[in-house]
Amino acid sequence: MSYAAYKMMHWPTGIENCASGFVTNCRADFTPQIPLNHTEDLESDWSSRRGIGPVPNLIVTAANVLELYVVRVQEEGTREARNSTEVKRGGIMDGVSAVSLELVCSYRLHGNVESMAVLSIGGGDVSRRRDSIILTFQDAKIAVLEFDDSTHSLQTSSMHCFEGPEWLHLKRGRESFTRGPLVKADPQGRCSGVLVYGLQMIILKAAQAGSGFVGEDDAFGSGATVSARVESSYIINLRDLDMKHIKDFIFVHGYIEPVMVILHERELTWAGRVSWKHHTCMISALSISTTLKQHPLIWSAANLPHDAYKLLAVPSPIGGVLVISANMIHYHSQSASCALALNSYAASVDNSQELPRSSFNVELDAANATWLLNDVALLSAKTGELLLLTLVYDGRVVQRLDLSKSKASVLTSDITTIGNSLVFLGSRLGDSLLVQFSSGSGASTLPSGLKEEVGDIEGDGPLAKRLRRSSSDALQDAVGSEELSLYGSTPNNSESAQKAFLFAVRDSLINVGPLKDFSYGLRINADANATGIAKQSNYELVCCSGHGKNGALCVLRQSIRPEMITEVELTGCKGIWTVYHKSTRGHNADSSKLADDDDEYHAYLIISLEARTMVLETADLLTEVTESVDYYVQGRTIAAGNLFGRRRVIQVFERGARILDGSFMTQELSIPLPNSETSSGSDNSTVMSVSIADPYVLLRMTDGNILLLVGDPAMCTVSINSPAAFEGSKKRVSACSLYHDKGPEPWLRKASSDAWLSTGIGESIDSADGGPHDQGDIYCVICYENGALEIFDVPNFNSVFSVEKFASGRAHLVDAYSLESSEDSEKPINTSSEELAGQSRKENVHNLKVVELAMQRWSGNHSRPFIFGILTDGTILCYHAYLFEGPDNASKVEGSASAQNSVGLSNVNASRLRNLRFIRVSLDAYTREETSNGTLSQRITIFKNISGYQGFFLSGLRPAWFMVFRQRLRIHPQICDGSIVAFTVLHNVNCNHGFIYVTSKGILKICQMPSTSNYDNYWPVQKIPLRGTPHQVTYFAERNLYPLIVSAPVHKPVNQVLSSLVDQEVGHQMDNLNLSSDELHRTYTVEEFEVRILEPEKSGGPWETKATIPMQSSENALTVRVVTLFEKKLYLDGALLQNTTTKENETLLAIGTAYVQGEDVAARGRVLLFSIGRSTDNNQNLVSEVYSKELKGAISALASLQGHLLIASGPKIILHIWTGSELNGIAFYDAPPLYVVSLNIVKNFILLGDVHKSIYFLSWKEQGAQLSLLAKDFGSLDCFATEFLIDGSTLSLMVSDDQKNIQVFYYAPKMSESWRGQKLLSRAEFHVGAHVTKFLRLQMLSTSGRTSATAGSDKTNRFALLFGTLDGSIGCIAPLDELTFRRLQSLQKKLVDAVPHVAGLNPRSFRHFRSNGKAHRPGPDSIVDCELLCHYEMLPLEEQLEIAHQIGTTRSQILSNLNDLTLGTSFLILYLGASELDYNSSAVNFCTLLLEATAAVNC
């Protein structure tokens, strides 16, 4: 592998930072929410609690992913709550029935977010100003982002960088720092502070009043909104203020000027001195004057515990600051202070005074905290327990602190309050939860409806009940009785001010990280006959993720494999449709029946074949009724659907249409030939494509004209209408579609200039019986062959929205008539058309047109329409609508519109959707496919309810599901059946909300969506809770079992723990260290390990534990592997008997362990071998131990090497042979390694990675039975994972390290810089930005059949490395040939400047190798970054052509290379993981390869 590509396939999900603020709206935009009904018999405390109030946005970051959510609250009793089809979670609380998160925008940044703060704007609740987001990045970069309504995205308002030569003095000679920059904002928004390099405080002064982007989201208000901005910055050197070791800082409430409190340690202490020197921390409060740049000390407090680590600012009116340490909580303000001891380790400064103690013991290291009320803080402990800390105060003086237990929840990484009754628990170890809370002041005040809210704040209830609102961490703690009480501990004295809190989980964001290890095995419903690309969907990744009680097995599948109900052969199918039929149906479908409509069964299935049509009845059985119905069956059908509220069926064929009532025809239309003037070849014009939106049907003819069939609901008849707008038009239509803007308040009405008028009417007539306005509006979306897009209202066909060059794929679509857009988009259009003419000589882009179009708004109270367009080259354009009311565009736009279109002037101006805009959405997971000119079939099939999911299905060569969750598209391929030619939904007795599709091989399948997976993720995921921490997993292929190391904490008495720490060699019993009997009976937490053997459930349900192998006391299982060993016999003197390998090779389960007994006991470990039985009946005898041996040192890694067992035992590598009853060492290598973290084997080559000493490359020679070192990396590197990378005949060595880099080495003994072959040479290096914990070698798919780019190369034996990381992301490193690499590298260099990067981050600096201050010689730049290359497809067509021209290639060549890479890494075509290669190769006796003077090892 000389060149490679780095490609992400699943982005990070572990949330590290979260914050809330008014980013997309200001406080004034929120109308007062409905008050609670006071009719219920509630006490004053509850009834005085107002509604949920203005709800700010939620901002979360996961590694380099930044996401902005809006929180949607559904009030009980409102129309939207009644109409909602979504599955509610958490019951009704405070008048709220449901709360959900909806995505506004998501970005993948070129840098990991270190910390985040929200710069708010001071002012009352009616402030018209918005908050901004401050992000910090390594080493000292700061970006301030604000939301821009005109582009519906985050824009960078300022960037501040304190890196590089001119800021070198800030580091004070240091190179390595324990953490990145830390940012905190003043609560009143006057400034914010960023701590960089551990000692420098950067003050960002906020602008007092500035200009901002004008306009709001909802287009109803007037007056400009302004976002918070940063005006200037300056640096305070904290060392000058005699502060050395800074742990945390915060801005406190209630001062006229910003006051910053800093927690720092004056002199460090250490473990041996802690009993004498333990109160070493102090806090200092500085008053920050941003104008004078002065910062006087106003108060301070010393003698805080050495383990204090976090500050929490107490809100007004109390003020002051909480100092949180592992064993104590201190409160300090300028005038008062108090403390609370949390456990027996807490001590006062001089050990004399008695401290107030908490009523229970808890440790608060690694806790997160936020405020629920101004005197109640919610603390999340490291065990996932939620604690409530109440400040008991009088006036502004805090008298004491009260701590009480609340519920158990997820292990949090950050926590934030959203508004006045929601809290978000962000987690990188489990799913993140959105929780609503409500407070009373005593048990008697609980309303009756909330009793069922008791229990833990985790996911609630089984997945099937909750459908798509599922949090798969649905783990209920075994709760003690005191934890179940709603207000924690019972008040211990009469005047306790304890408040009662109710919690309800409202929504959750799924997380599959941290991925510690993964294995790769067959799916339960795998298809044994699958070949080619379909075979890859047979496999799934089983990952160890989570920690502690959030530990789980995540089963990730790269594609969807439906659950099949039945299949039949059906050749030559062109299309399928299902239709409803109900004869007794009222004229207006009233809204009470709308819910029933969803459950109505389909009546007929219409199948269009090449020369005829079949009709089937979809009752209990599918029975063919083709002969007995009036459907047109003599030729093929173009489309079929329902009209008139499902009272009629319309069937459209090439030269006509039929209207049917059930099986009887009520009307037949023959499509008339258009006027001869419009097109010359009109005689043979037939229907090409159809779009149905009750009561209209839109037909596109083969000559490029369109016809509209208009239905009359009263008579149930249809008439043909040729729209006047197209009568004399010379523009040919390339694609068209109808869009039904449904609902009582159609969304697009808000976009026209008289928006307030139309919505006002909608509000006042709140008709439940469905007046005409309940049906919504219908629009016609049309794309012309020149690439322009136009939206007309139906049936008048007035143009309401038009865009030039829709097919170019611009980032934003703005109505061409609105004035400001014509000013800024006119110029690029003119220049680009000249460029296009020049480019098109080289590249055939003039025939690039839209061949299919769809516009859809799925159900949801705040959902916005999407537009999808498929181009001839297979590109799918996806746009999401949003509203933006430009500044005073009413009068000006009328002028420009009237100048261009004098017909129906008043009509045009009134109905123009001039506030409508579209933003382009990137589609990552789909693979493009060229559409041949002959295809007429529609590829997009929209569905509203398949097993509760909504979205559309894309048929074709590589079919995919596009599902909509939280206004975000999730794309999941379905490749198990190869190409799919037709698809439709089916709902009947035997198939509940399922679907039918026909494959290109001529098989019709009726299926349902698998219910166990969660699809609101980058890949479909199923989580299996383990109630413990998973460490390592392996796959036992013969029985389809997964052995897995799990550990769980167990509380044991101290004397029991001490008695087990016995040095086995000397038999020396440890003395009890003079502990009192009271201390000996205290409990101590130890991790207990076991190996569980899990079997996937056939039906896809919860997995079953088939057997458990417990470890001994204080024994940790470190590694579990399935190994294949050959039995060999020994001479009596121990020499190996040559050629006596018996044919028996045994597949065994090998486990390596270590006894963890402290530094006083010599390290030991055991190697255990187990055989797994063949019989499936008896679980007791499934696993039997065949061998166990104790060795010196920890057994940290195991592998099988040509039938022998290689064991890493402490600093030794020992090779054992298996005699059938015992292991005998035959070779060893005394490496300097301290602790081997990974062993990899290819043929007779060994790669081992050490925790500190980088990698070693060894070979095994059977001739002299010796392990010899070939070469090693002489640098120091803390390895995380290693693996061999095979590219043809080239062998490379891959390693990941603790600085989130990966490096590729190679062995070249004849090169002078390799020190005569002792040193491994660097082939590539790359900064991933995440800790890579596991590599898996998988064979790449050959794409050379498709392209001639790599014809004749030896690239059939090409492998890529799939890797998993601790932040939940999955990616791969794939080898490239040199020509492709050079092309993509040139493109990458161009894109650094051509693409505007969010937060102003530079992709090149992000991918530089990080050495954390150690000397490092830069390696070659031989890896291209697909995270940057994927921006190319999102550029407008003109820019794509221009960039391709500049680097001397063509757009189609670049897209072909990117597509080949995507296809080559849609893995899993062949199962050749590392282990199987080992087994296969060991069957043949390989001679050691001659290592010649090449830059590679030929293998």
Side-chain angles (χ1 to χ4, degrees):
M1 184 226 82
S2 303
Y3 306 103
Y6 161 85
K7 182 171 170 51
M8 288 304 287
M9 303 164 84
H10 182 291
W11 287 269
T13 54
I15 290 175
E16 282 155 11
N17 301 297
C18 58
S20 66
F22 291 93
V23 180
T24 60
N25 291 80
C26 47
R27 281 184 174 81
D29 291 345
F30 288 89
T31 51
Q33 307 283 345
I34 56 157
L36 282 176
N37 294 337
H38 294 286
T39 53
E40 297 168 38
D41 187 16
L42 302 177
E43 297 210 2
S44 56
D45 255 299
W46 287 89
S47 51
S48 65
R49 180 136 171 85
R50 57 172 191 246
I52 207 159
V55 184
N57 297 96
L58 171 70
I59 309 111
V60 299
T61 70
N64 66 329
V65 173
L66 169 71
E67 292 185 333
L68 175 63
Y69 290 93
V70 60
V71 182
R72 297 293 187 198
V73 178
Q74 238 182 59
E75 308 274 350
E76 183 55 26
T78 56
R79 176 180 3 182
E80 54 184 49
R82 289 198 301 273
N83 293 349
S84 170
T85 56
E86 290 170 10
V87 180
K88 307 267 197 309
R89 238 176 119 174
I92 296 169
M93 180 191 283
D94 269 4
V96 170
S97 62
V99 186
S100 59
L101 295 172
E102 185 183 293
L103 187 75
V104 178
C105 49
S106 168
Y107 299 100
R108 304 204 293 267
L109 310 175
H110 298 291
N112 286 358
V113 178
E114 293 293 322
S115 63
M116 171 171 67
V118 170
L119 184 63
S120 60
I121 291 229
D125 271 357
V126 292
S127 166
R128 289 220 61 84
R129 307 177 67 182
R130 294 189 188 173
D131 304 340
S132 291
I133 305 166
I134 306 178
L135 303 175
T136 67
F137 305 90
Q138 292 271 34
D139 291 309
K141 299 183 197 69
I142 303 155
V144 186
L145 305 176
E146 60 184 47
F147 189 74
D148 178 4
D149 283 326
S150 65
T151 60
H152 202 74
S153 56
L154 290 174
Q155 304 289 345
T156 311
S157 66
S158 65
M159 295 171 355
H160 312 264
C161 183
F162 297 89
E163 296 172 14
E166 69 272 32
W167 297 107
L168 209 56
H169 63 278
L170 297 182
K171 294 188 178 184
R172 302 189 58 86
R174 286 174 59 194
E175 279 300 326
S176 135
F177 300 93
T178 48
R179 66 174 173 202
L182 179 66
V183 60
K184 299 281 172 78
D186 175 45
Q188 280 148 297
R190 296 164 292 192
C191 69
S192 59
V194 185
L195 180 70
V196 297
Y197 303 129
L199 278 177
Q200 311 291 340
M201 182 65 70
I202 295 161
I203 302 293
L204 304 175
K205 181 185 177 184
Q208 288 310 304
S211 60
F213 294 103
V214 183
E216 323 90 54
D217 226 2
D218 53 8
F220 297 134
S222 58
T225 52
V226 181
S227 295
R229 297 273 179 95
V230 170
E231 187 182 277
S232 60
S233 62
Y234 66 95
I235 300 174
I236 302 173
N237 185 351
L238 297 178
R239 204 183 172 91
D240 299 345
L241 305 176
D242 203 24
M243 298 183 195
K244 289 183 188 133
H245 310 284
I246 286 131
K247 294 185 157 194
D248 198 15
F249 74 98
I250 199 129
F251 288 91
V252 292
H253 296 257
Y255 285 87
I256 297 168
E257 277 196 321
V259 170
M260 177 193 288
V261 176
I262 300 175
L263 172 67
H264 55 108
E265 199 166 6
R266 295 155 86 177
E267 292 177 64
L268 296 177
T269 183
W270 65 99
R273 283 288 288 173
V274 141
S275 50
W276 290 276
K277 188 176 182 182
H278 42 69
H279 281 64
T280 54
C281 287
M282 67 175 292
I283 53 174
S284 306
L286 308 178
S287 175
I288 308 289
S289 167
T290 51
T291 44
L292 300 173
K293 297 189 180 175
Q294 292 176 349
H295 35 270
L297 179 73
I298 53 174
W299 58 269
S300 66
N303 293 331
L304 293 169
H306 72 280
D307 52 8
Y309 64 96
K310 190 188 273 287
L311 296 176
L312 198 59
V314 182
S316 300
I318 306 171
V321 67
L322 287 175
V323 185
I324 299 173
S325 64
N327 310 310
M328 292 182 78
I329 300 178
H330 288 257
Y331 168 81
H332 282 279
S333 70
Q334 201 159 352
S335 52
S337 68
C338 59
L340 179 70
L342 304 173
N343 53 43
S344 53
Y345 298 109
S348 58
V349 185
D350 46 6
N351 287 329
S352 59
Q353 68 204 70
E354 187 61 35
L355 289 166
R357 292 196 174 274
S358 155
S359 57
F360 55 95
N361 281 355
V362 66
E363 291 172 14
L364 273 193
D365 49 327
N368 289 293
T370 188
W371 292 94
L372 299 185
L373 305 174
N374 60 7
D375 59 343
V376 180
L378 180 74
L379 299 168
S380 163
K382 62 183 176 185
T383 56
E385 240 183 337
L386 292 183
L387 308 169
L388 295 172
L389 179 71
T390 309
L391 278 64
V392 182
Y393 65 101
D394 182 12
R396 288 187 65 175
V397 178
V398 174
Q399 292 156 341
R400 69 169 198 277
L401 306 173
D402 260 0
L403 191 68
S404 64
K405 285 187 179 180
S406 181
K407 303 240 175 78
S409 182
V410 66
L411 304 172
T412 60
S413 57
D414 201 359
I415 181 169
T416 184
T417 312
I418 306 173
N420 61 11
S421 55
L422 293 166
V423 65
F424 181 77
L425 308 172
S427 171
R428 51 185 302 275
L429 301 173
D431 290 355
S432 300
L433 303 177
L434 178 68
V435 177
Q436 186 186 350
F437 64 88
S438 182
S439 69
S441 61
S444 61
T445 62
L446 299 188
S448 54
L450 285 161
K451 292 289 188 246
E452 75 278 5
E453 291 303 331
V454 183
D456 284 355
I457 309 184
E458 318 241 3
D460 47 349
L463 193 130
K465 267 193 205 165
R466 301 201 318 260
L467 235 61
R468 51 177 196 272
R469 285 258 169 267
S470 60
S471 144
S472 38
D473 279 332
L475 320 175
Q476 296 297 327
D477 243 4
V479 273
S481 55
E482 86 276 309
E483 201 170 296
L484 275 174
S485 89
L486 277 167
Y487 39 14
S489 54
T490 14
N492 47 7
N493 54 4
S494 53
E495 72 261 11
S496 164
Q498 209 76 59
K499 291 189 169 64
F501 278 85
L502 301 168
F503 294 96
V505 178
R506 291 301 193 181
D507 203 352
S508 59
L509 298 179
I510 199 163
N511 170 27
V512 300
L515 298 177
K516 301 194 185 92
D517 187 33
F518 55 78
S519 186
Y520 172 70
L522 271 175
R523 281 182 168 190
I524 274 297
N525 55 356
D527 176 10
N529 306 322
T531 56
I533 192 169
K535 194 169 175 184
Q536 64 145 305
S537 67
N538 275 346
Y539 294 100
E540 59 194 11
L541 279 184
V542 176
C543 313
C544 294
S545 72
H547 181 82
K549 63 177 197 174
N550 294 131
L553 267 189
C554 283
V555 185
L556 288 159
R557 303 171 176 108
Q558 219 182 329
S559 64
I560 288 178
R561 181 179 274 276
E563 289 172 1
M564 194 175 71
I565 297 173
T566 181
E567 64 177 359
V568 288
E569 273 201 39
L570 178 75
T571 49
C573 175
K574 292 291 180 195
I576 49 176
W577 301 267
T578 44
V579 291
Y580 299 98
H581 168 60
K582 196 184 273 181
S583 50
T584 56
R585 196 188 292 269
H587 172 60
N588 280 325
D590 56 333
S591 45
S592 62
K593 286 187 193 158
L594 282 177
D596 307 336
D597 277 359
D598 211 28
D599 290 325
E600 184 184 337
Y601 288 155
H602 285 107
Y604 293 101
L605 168 66
I606 299 158
I607 301 173
S608 169
L609 305 174
E610 279 172 15
R612 65 188 186 95
T613 295
M614 285 169 65
V615 182
L616 285 78
E617 207 166 30
T618 56
D620 296 359
L621 300 167
L622 287 181
T623 47
E624 185 171 349
V625 290
T626 309
E627 302 305 319
S628 60
V629 291
D630 290 346
Y631 282 86
Y632 172 78
V633 294
Q634 292 79 27
R636 69 188 195 91
T637 301
I638 305 291
N642 285 98
L643 288 181
F644 313 125
R646 298 183 182 173
R647 282 179 297 157
R648 294 287 185 273
V649 174
I650 179 162
Q651 179 197 15
V652 182
F653 41 98
E654 286 186 333
R655 295 193 175 272
R658 289 188 182 183
I659 310 294
L660 299 106
D661 183 356
S663 57
F664 305 107
M665 181 168 72
T666 58
Q667 186 185 2
E668 179 162 19
L669 300 156
S670 62
I671 306 298
L673 303 176
N675 300 337
S676 49
E677 300 111 52
T678 46
S679 73
S680 52
S682 61
D683 296 345
N684 52 6
S685 175
T686 57
V687 178
M688 235 178 122
S689 71
V690 181
S691 175
I692 302 173
D694 189 8
Y696 300 100
V697 181
L698 186 71
L699 310 178
R700 182 166 72 87
M701 311 304 286
T702 46
D703 62 1
N705 279 334
I706 63 168
L707 296 175
L708 184 71
L709 307 186
V710 182
D712 175 6
M715 303 292 295
C716 288
T717 55
V718 171
S719 56
I720 300 179
N721 172 8
S722 179
F726 298 97
E727 282 294 300
S729 170
K730 292 278 180 286
K731 293 192 285 191
R732 282 174 65 91
V733 174
S734 71
C736 60
S737 174
L738 289 179
Y739 163 60
H740 193 169
D741 201 18
K742 290 199 176 92
E745 296 168 42
W747 192 86
L748 282 178
R749 285 190 198 171
K750 303 177 191 171
S752 58
S753 50
D754 46 0
W756 58 274
L757 192 68
S758 55
T759 45
I761 295 168
E763 284 294 330
S764 57
I765 312 174
D766 188 1
S767 55
D769 58 357
H773 76 278
D774 215 14
Q775 302 301 315
D777 307 325
I778 293 181
Y779 296 89
C780 170
V781 190
I782 285 186
C783 234
Y784 300 103
E785 294 207 342
N786 64 5
L789 174 129
E790 206 157 359
I791 300 180
F792 297 90
D793 62 356
V794 176
N796 305 324
F797 274 87
N798 294 321
S799 171
V800 292
F801 185 86
S802 58
V803 178
E804 297 286 322
K805 295 195 189 314
F806 168 76
S808 294
R810 309 217 156 154
H812 294 87
L813 303 182
V814 184
D815 184 13
Y817 281 77
S818 66
L819 190 69
E820 72 276 322
S821 70
S822 61
E823 282 170 0
D824 58 35
S825 64
E826 208 60 45
K827 294 163 193 147
I829 285 174
N830 295 341
T831 53
S832 59
S833 54
E834 291 154 22
E835 287 165 17
L836 242 162
Q839 302 292 322
S840 59
R841 280 195 289 276
K842 287 181 63 178
E843 203 170 340
N844 190 8
V845 291
H846 268 304
N847 62 358
L848 194 68
K849 60 183 187 207
V850 179
V851 290
E852 190 172 342
L853 202 57
M855 183 168 177
Q856 177 68 22
R857 181 168 81 97
W858 283 278
S859 65
N861 298 320
H862 300 275
S863 64
R864 314 194 307 274
F866 284 92
I867 283 189
F868 304 97
I870 303 182
L871 305 184
T872 37
D873 70 343
T875 308
I876 300 180
L877 300 177
C878 168
Y879 285 93
H880 204 176
Y882 65 96
L883 297 175
F884 172 68
E885 190 173 358
D888 124 82
N889 60 1
S891 56
K892 293 178 189 165
V893 172
E894 278 172 21
S896 65
S898 58
Q900 294 181 31
N901 187 354
S902 55
V903 187
L905 179 75
S906 56
N907 235 350
V908 168
N909 293 328
S911 59
R912 202 90 200 151
L913 302 177
R914 62 170 63 100
N915 298 333
L916 175 66
R917 294 192 175 190
F918 292 89
I919 182 169
R920 188 162 170 204
V921 181
S922 69
L923 305 174
D924 288 304
Y926 91 100
T927 1
R928 65 174 58 237
E929 62 183 77
E930 295 262 342
T931 51
S932 60
N933 295 330
T935 57
L936 299 174
S937 63
Q938 292 205 320
R939 291 179 59 198
I940 293 177
T941 309
I942 287 167
F943 58 87
K944 310 271 180 57
N945 181 0
I946 291 183
S947 301
Y949 303 105
Q950 47 185 17
F952 75 87
F953 182 82
L954 181 77
S955 48
L957 278 176
R958 283 179 285 280
W961 294 84
F962 289 64
M963 295 182 178
V964 181
F965 296 93
R966 321 176 185 283
Q967 290 297 291
R968 156 197 223 138
L969 279 176
R970 297 284 196 187
I971 305 169
H972 303 303
Q974 178 187 315
I975 43 190
C976 54
D977 296 292
S979 172
I980 289 179
V981 292
F983 176 96
T984 189
V985 294
L986 174 67
H987 178 46
N988 75 354
V989 181
N990 301 316
C991 178
N992 190 24
H993 292 298
F995 50 94
I996 306 181
Y997 60 87
V998 183
T999 69
S1000 57
K1001 296 191 182 104
I1003 295 170
L1004 178 141
K1005 296 193 177 189
I1006 301 180
C1007 302
Q1008 280 183 302
M1009 190 62 81
S1011 59
T1012 48
S1013 292
N1014 187 328
Y1015 300 101
D1016 187 13
N1017 188 37
Y1018 300 106
W1019 290 4
V1021 59
Q1022 178 188 358
K1023 271 190 154 184
I1024 293 111
L1026 294 171
R1027 311 290 304 133
T1029 307
H1031 295 276
Q1032 208 174 59
V1033 64
T1034 186
Y1035 178 56
F1036 190 75
E1038 291 174 26
R1039 285 282 318 277
N1040 198 28
L1041 299 173
Y1042 289 92
L1044 161 82
I1045 299 176
V1046 183
S1047 72
V1050 178
H1051 301 289
K1052 289 187 170 180
V1054 171
N1055 54 1
Q1056 197 181 328
V1057 175
L1058 287 174
S1059 65
S1060 68
L1061 301 180
V1062 179
D1063 195 328
Q1064 305 291 331
E1065 289 173 12
V1066 204
H1068 153 69
Q1069 174 76 43
M1070 302 183 79
D1071 52 2
N1072 278 339
L1073 305 172
N1074 311 324
L1075 294 176
S1076 66
S1077 64
D1078 182 33
E1079 286 173 310
L1080 280 173
H1081 285 94
R1082 280 201 193 133
T1083 57
Y1084 181 77
T1085 309
V1086 288
E1087 287 275 320
E1088 285 206 342
F1089 282 74
E1090 64 183 25
V1091 174
R1092 286 185 207 167
I1093 295 177
L1094 295 170
E1095 181 175 48
E1097 182 60 44
K1098 296 282 184 286
S1099 61
W1103 288 23
E1104 193 183 342
T1105 304
K1106 285 290 185 188
T1108 309
I1109 305 169
M1111 297 294 117
Q1112 296 176 359
S1113 174
S1114 69
E1115 182 182 29
N1116 290 12
L1118 299 179
T1119 181
V1120 58
R1121 288 288 174 250
V1122 174
V1123 294
T1124 300
L1125 304 181
F1126 296 162
E1127 288 184 28
K1128 299 211 175 186
K1129 299 286 178 281
L1130 288 174
Y1131 277 134
L1132 293 175
D1133 62 354
L1136 188 61
L1137 197 63
Q1138 287 300 322
N1139 301 328
T1140 56
T1141 304
T1142 57
K1143 289 291 174 210
E1144 280 301 302
N1145 58 352
E1146 280 191 82
T1147 302
L1148 300 172
L1149 185 67
I1151 301 171
T1153 73
Y1155 290 97
V1156 180
Q1157 299 180 320
E1159 55 190 10
D1160 300 317
V1161 182
R1164 297 173 297 120
R1166 285 197 305 161
V1167 59
L1168 307 165
L1169 294 179
F1170 290 86
S1171 75
I1172 295 183
R1174 295 277 179 277
S1175 70
T1176 51
D1177 319 325
N1178 195 349
N1179 282 352
Q1180 270 63 43
N1181 310 333
L1182 178 73
V1183 177
S1184 53
E1185 184 177 318
V1186 293
Y1187 181 72
S1188 117
K1189 179 182 185 181
E1190 194 170 288
L1191 298 168
K1192 286 185 179 176
I1195 313 294
S1196 58
L1198 299 161
S1200 61
L1201 169 62
Q1202 296 189 352
H1204 308 323
L1205 184 63
L1206 188 64
I1207 297 176
S1209 159
K1212 263 194 178 66
I1213 315 295
I1214 311 170
L1215 188 67
H1216 293 77
I1217 64 160
W1218 174 240
T1219 64
S1221 57
E1222 62 174 355
L1223 289 172
N1224 294 73
I1226 53 166
F1228 71 91
Y1229 174 67
D1230 254 341
L1234 307 169
Y1235 180 87
V1236 175
V1237 291
S1238 69
L1239 270 180
N1240 308 101
I1241 287 164
V1242 161
K1243 296 189 177 175
N1244 60 331
F1245 296 112
I1246 304 159
L1247 169 63
L1248 67 91
D1250 183 76
V1251 71
H1252 280 311
K1253 297 278 183 184
S1254 195
I1255 58 172
Y1256 291 75
F1257 184 40
L1258 304 133
S1259 80
W1260 152 245
K1261 294 189 182 116
E1262 193 143 19
Q1263 241 54 44
Q1266 58 175 317
L1267 285 171
S1268 52
L1269 177 71
L1270 295 175
K1272 64 175 189 173
D1273 173 28
F1274 282 83
S1276 70
L1277 194 72
D1278 297 357
C1279 295
F1280 266 52
T1282 59
E1283 186 54 276
F1284 286 105
L1285 184 54
I1286 299 169
D1287 180 20
S1289 59
T1290 313
L1291 187 71
S1292 308
L1293 319 175
M1294 175 79 75
V1295 57
S1296 67
D1297 64 37
D1298 67 322
Q1299 293 300 311
K1300 306 182 179 180
N1301 307 304
I1302 52 174
Q1303 277 174 285
V1304 185
F1305 291 97
Y1306 68 109
Y1307 176 59
K1310 292 292 170 76
M1311 290 182 74
S1312 56
E1313 57 264 43
S1314 73
W1315 304 349
R1316 293 189 181 170
Q1318 297 177 62
K1319 183 183 179 190
L1320 290 170
L1321 300 179
S1322 174
R1323 182 165 267 160
E1325 58 185 29
F1326 191 81
H1327 182 70
V1328 175
H1331 288 120
V1332 175
T1333 52
K1334 170 78 182 249
F1335 289 110
L1336 178 67
R1337 189 170 65 248
L1338 295 170
Q1339 185 150 10
M1340 285 179 72
L1341 230 68
S1342 167
T1343 52
S1344 52
R1346 288 180 61 254
T1347 64
S1348 55
T1350 54
S1353 61
D1354 62 339
K1355 296 312 181 193
T1356 48
N1357 187 29
R1358 197 169 233 197
F1359 288 79
L1361 293 184
L1362 191 73
F1363 63 78
T1365 72
L1366 288 183
D1367 54 30
S1369 57
I1370 298 170
C1372 71
I1373 303 288
L1376 290 178
D1377 55 274
E1378 184 172 2
L1379 185 67
T1380 307
F1381 170 77
R1382 296 284 177 221
R1383 184 180 297 125
L1384 294 181
Q1385 191 185 39
S1386 310
L1387 174 64
Q1388 179 175 296
K1389 287 174 180 166
K1390 281 282 175 203
L1391 289 177
V1392 171
D1393 301 323
V1395 177
H1397 303 294
V1398 182
L1401 293 161
N1402 187 327
R1404 281 181 63 191
S1405 79
F1406 179 44
R1407 297 306 184 185
H1408 271 199
F1409 186 89
R1410 305 276 166 99
S1411 60
N1412 197 25
K1414 294 176 189 164
H1416 173 76
R1417 188 176 171 189
D1421 178 18
S1422 324
I1423 298 183
V1424 289
D1425 179 12
C1426 291
E1427 282 292 271
L1428 177 56
L1429 295 175
C1430 69
H1431 287 287
Y1432 181 74
E1433 293 189 51
M1434 290 296 290
L1435 291 173
L1437 178 66
E1438 297 80 20
E1439 288 180 39
Q1440 289 185 19
L1441 295 169
E1442 178 60 28
I1443 289 175
H1445 178 62
Q1446 286 171 359
I1447 62 174
T1449 183
T1450 61
R1451 169 180 180 269
S1452 53
Q1453 181 66 66
I1454 291 171
L1455 294 180
S1456 165
N1457 286 153
L1458 294 174
N1459 213 28
D1460 283 354
L1461 189 62
T1462 306
L1463 281 177
T1465 54
S1466 341
F1467 279 120
L1468 325 186
I1469 178 165
L1470 279 169
Y1471 176 41
L1472 280 170
S1475 48
E1476 190 165 306
L1477 271 174
D1478 306 343
Y1479 311 155
N1480 295 350
S1481 57
S1482 50
V1484 187
N1485 187 12
F1486 281 105
C1487 298
T1488 308
L1489 294 173
L1490 295 172
L1491 302 162
E1492 296 175 354
T1494 56
V1497 175
N1498 289 333
C1499 75

